[in-house]
Amino acid sequence: MTEQQFWQLVTANDFFADPEIIADELKSKLTTLDNDQLAAFDKLFSQKMRLSYEWSLWGAAYVIAGCNSEYGFSEFRCWLISRGQTVFETCLAQADNLADFDVVPVKDDLPYPFLDEYDLIAGMIYESRTEDELPFVPSGLSQPRGKRFKDKSKELKKVYPKLYQRYWTQGQ
């Protein structure tokens, strides 16, 4: 599986669709793959999850939606991958650049940049077909890369000026 094929499969058609619709869309695309292709897709997805395991991105998720748990950060990274290669790579280079894209959906009048279990879809399809699990791809990291973000409003405004201006609300 090439990078281009991966991004064609994983990128959501409608960034503002309900998260379940986005997940169903990926599931539909992945069911057309054979087991070797599923394994290759899953390996690339795991690599993207590992690449995005950075404090700078966690800070961006915190500014946008108050993300403060490992599980929430995983859902955020799944969501970020679903926005496509350009958004993903731009944000890896500089997390604050996420503010330059109109890709964050809203749920209950609040930003909702999360996709639950998007990273598990390929494995679930594979397991239902073979009754076996896909090979485990370890993250290799016990902590996100980089320096942990400071959650004080003043620091967030300095490090994430564009995201702060667009998403930060009092009371977070």
Side-chain angles (χ1 to χ4, degrees):
M1 172 157 301
T2 66
E3 283 277 324
Q4 181 180 11
Q5 291 169 322
F6 170 81
W7 287 112
Q8 287 173 342
L9 290 166
V10 79
T11 303
N13 287 332
D14 179 358
F15 292 158
F16 302 100
D18 183 271
E20 286 186 35
I21 292 171
I22 293 172
D24 288 344
E25 178 185 282
L26 179 61
K27 185 176 183 180
S28 177
K29 292 175 186 177
L30 294 182
T31 57
T32 66
L33 303 181
D34 65 32
N35 292 343
D36 289 340
Q37 292 170 318
L38 266 179
F41 172 87
D42 187 66
K43 181 177 180 179
L44 281 169
F45 201 106
S46 295
Q47 290 171 348
K48 303 304 177 210
M49 289 291 283
R50 186 171 49 241
L51 274 174
S52 60
Y53 194 54
E54 297 184 349
W55 281 117
S56 63
L57 285 173
W58 195 332
Y62 183 80
V63 170
I64 296 168
C67 179
N68 62 1
S69 73
E70 184 77 36
Y71 185 78
F73 185 47
S74 177
E75 289 181 338
F76 174 82
R77 291 175 7 247
C78 286
W79 169 85
L80 185 62
I81 291 166
S82 80
R83 303 299 97 161
Q85 185 174 12
T86 299
V87 173
F88 181 80
E89 291 177 355
T90 299
C91 295
L92 275 182
Q94 175 55 258
D96 194 43
N97 286 339
L98 185 52
D100 297 337
F101 298 97
D102 186 22
V103 295
V104 179
V106 173
K107 181 177 178 182
D108 299 326
D109 296 324
L110 296 171
Y112 193 77
F114 302 106
L115 278 177
D116 185 33
E117 299 182 349
Y118 202 63
D119 55 331
L120 304 179
I121 295 172
M124 290 187 290
I125 294 169
Y126 186 89
E127 191 171 336
S128 72
R129 288 181 185 172
T130 66
E131 296 183 12
D132 205 1
E133 292 181 3
L134 282 169
F136 176 69
V137 180
S139 72
L141 303 169
S142 61
Q143 289 285 319
R145 272 189 309 282
K147 186 177 177 186
R148 190 182 197 301
F149 67 95
K150 294 179 181 169
D151 61 3
K152 302 293 184 224
S153 182
K154 180 180 176 182
E155 290 296 318
L156 294 170
K157 187 176 185 177
K158 186 168 73 174
V159 176
Y160 305 98
K162 295 184 286 186
L163 287 171
Y164 187 91
Q165 181 177 2
R166 187 165 182 177
Y167 295 105
W168 189 258
T169 58
Q170 295 305 102
Q172 273 191 327

